[in-house]
Amino acid sequence: MTNGTVTTELDSALEKHRVELTGYCYRMLGSSFEAEDAVQDTLVRAWRSYDKFEGRSSLRSWLYRIATNVCLDMLTAGNKRARPMDLTDSTPLARAALSPRPDNTWLEPMPDARVLPSTADPAEAAVAKESVRLAFMAALQQLPPKQRAVLILREVLAWKASEVAELLGTSVASVNSALQRARATLAEREERGDDAAVSDPLDEEQQKLLERYVAAFEGYDMTALTALLHEDAVMTMPPFDLWLAGPADITGFMTTLGAACANSRLVPVQANGLPAFAHYKPDEEAGGYAPWAVQVLEISDGRITGFHCFLDTKRWFPLFDLPLRLEAEADEVQ
């Protein structure tokens, strides 16, 4: 067997783990781009040191050990990515102001296809989806890095305590203690109401809700949109730290500071295990539609509870493999 064949086989063996490793690093780091960088670093390190891999653990376990070390190194700066509601109180519409914060402040969206491996097990798929939803991701970011790793490996990936202990170079008792503390922190957030509502796998009723949402948003029909919003619905717009609560302030913002979004177009995408849309707004100068946001929606009890607009389109649209403009349809040009 030639060196070239060995190299190709190793590249293929490593590449098979890219999606699940990206999901792991994304949960650890809260950043789409940092997660992809961490995985690339992991695979490069594995490739370079493969001759030292003795096979005492599986290739997968070895890769997770490398990825964990890469993520822990990246987290030593102590930055905790967050949503706007994790940092400030909601702002009444009358005082709404768009104040941006640096990119590394924010929990970032992620396309499902980059972090959710295909699986034939519905229960496994459901856990994977739930564990990348924005509310759960925000809760993870509040945990110390090693607790975060333990919780993800034990609760999301279903590793045994002994396997996690070996990966982290610690004892089973230490792993169990870290898991207990992590669970307590997450339970405390839920008791405070920090656990944002999430959607179930889309059923017929939820699909109809999304169809009504698209019609209301594209028609900029605030009466119809109000009927779809939960009374406690929130709207966020990273990189701005402003967030709004309640249908009156959300629709009030959309008809004032957000009025330029009238007559927009929404294109369905899949992000964070939740319903999502690429939002294109009318391009008054060039015609057609220019990218404006990736919207990620949270749904509960037949209403929209979260309306999260990620505005940095130069970063998000390429990540989601979205075009950077939409042409006007024939009937609009006439």
Side-chain angles (χ1 to χ4, degrees), residues 13-332:
L14 296 176
E15 194 62 32
K16 285 178 183 176
H17 298 280
R18 181 180 290 275
V19 173
E20 64 170 309
L21 287 172
T22 304
Y24 176 61
C25 294
Y26 176 59
R27 295 177 185 101
M28 284 291 291
L29 301 169
S31 163
S32 329
F33 298 103
E34 285 184 3
E36 297 202 326
D37 288 346
V39 171
Q40 193 59 33
D41 190 4
T42 296
L43 297 180
V44 168
R45 291 189 192 189
W47 196 90
R48 287 176 176 167
S49 60
Y50 186 71
D51 57 341
K52 300 175 185 174
F53 174 53
E54 299 174 353
R56 286 181 295 186
S57 63
S58 68
L59 177 64
R60 179 173 181 257
S61 297
W62 184 58
L63 288 172
Y64 269 95
R65 181 180 294 113
I66 299 172
T68 299
N69 289 332
V70 169
C71 289
L72 292 177
D73 287 346
M74 293 174 74
L75 288 167
T76 52
N79 181 53
K80 294 181 180 179
R81 289 179 177 267
R83 305 166 299 172
M85 58 274 237
D86 300 320
L87 302 178
T88 65
D89 292 330
S90 63
T91 307
L93 179 60
R95 298 205 309 270
L98 298 178
S99 305
R101 295 201 188 192
D103 289 338
N104 65 2
T105 306
W106 303 117
L107 179 64
E108 297 178 346
M110 182 63 116
D112 285 0
R114 290 182 183 255
V115 291
L116 299 178
S118 56
T119 174
D121 184 341
E124 189 178 313
V127 169
K129 272 194 169 188
E130 288 168 8
S131 68
V132 294
R133 287 173 175 163
L134 294 174
F136 185 77
M137 288 288 299
L140 281 178
Q141 305 314 300
Q142 301 306 309
L143 299 175
K146 286 198 174 178
Q147 282 187 32
R148 202 179 304 177
V150 168
L151 185 86
I152 297 166
L153 290 165
R154 292 281 285 117
E155 302 275 273
V156 178
L157 301 177
W159 285 38
K160 297 175 182 175
S162 57
E163 294 172 328
V164 178
E166 183 180 351
L167 181 145
L168 294 175
T170 187
S171 67
V172 169
S174 176
V175 166
N176 288 337
S177 175
L179 180 59
Q180 189 174 7
R181 293 196 302 273
R183 284 172 171 166
T185 299
L186 264 58
E188 190 178 306
R189 285 177 65 90
E190 290 176 8
E191 287 173 8
R192 293 202 315 263
D194 292 346
D195 182 26
V198 296
S199 70
D200 296 317
L202 291 184
D203 55 28
E204 185 178 356
E205 180 184 347
Q206 291 169 329
Q207 194 60 52
K208 287 181 179 178
L209 173 65
L210 293 181
E211 290 169 4
R212 291 167 61 200
Y213 168 75
V214 170
F217 192 94
E218 291 188 344
Y220 234 55
D221 183 339
M222 295 301 122
T223 301
L225 188 60
T226 297
L228 305 180
L229 295 174
H230 191 277
E231 61 181 7
D232 296 324
V234 299
M235 178 181 182
T236 68
M237 291 162 283
F240 302 115
D241 58 13
L242 169 76
W243 66 280
L244 301 161
D249 277 2
I250 291 172
T251 57
F253 178 89
M254 291 174 66
T255 53
T256 53
L257 292 175
C261 290
N263 302 310
S264 290
R265 291 291 174 264
L266 299 181
V267 176
V269 294
Q270 293 181 309
N272 292 85
L274 293 164
F277 296 93
H279 172 191
Y280 293 83
K281 74 173 186 176
D283 188 332
E284 301 298 340
E285 295 183 3
Y289 300 89
W292 184 247
V294 170
Q295 300 180 0
V296 183
L297 305 186
E298 292 169 320
I299 297 173
S300 182
D301 299 327
R303 292 288 184 272
I304 294 167
T305 57
F307 175 48
H308 307 289
C309 305
F310 295 90
L311 301 180
D312 191 352
T313 54
K314 289 182 180 177
R315 301 172 76 218
W316 304 131
F317 276 52
L319 182 73
F320 282 82
D321 297 320
L322 290 162
L324 291 177
R325 69 174 289 102
L326 291 181
E327 299 302 330
E329 296 177 6
D331 59 345
E332 295 173 319

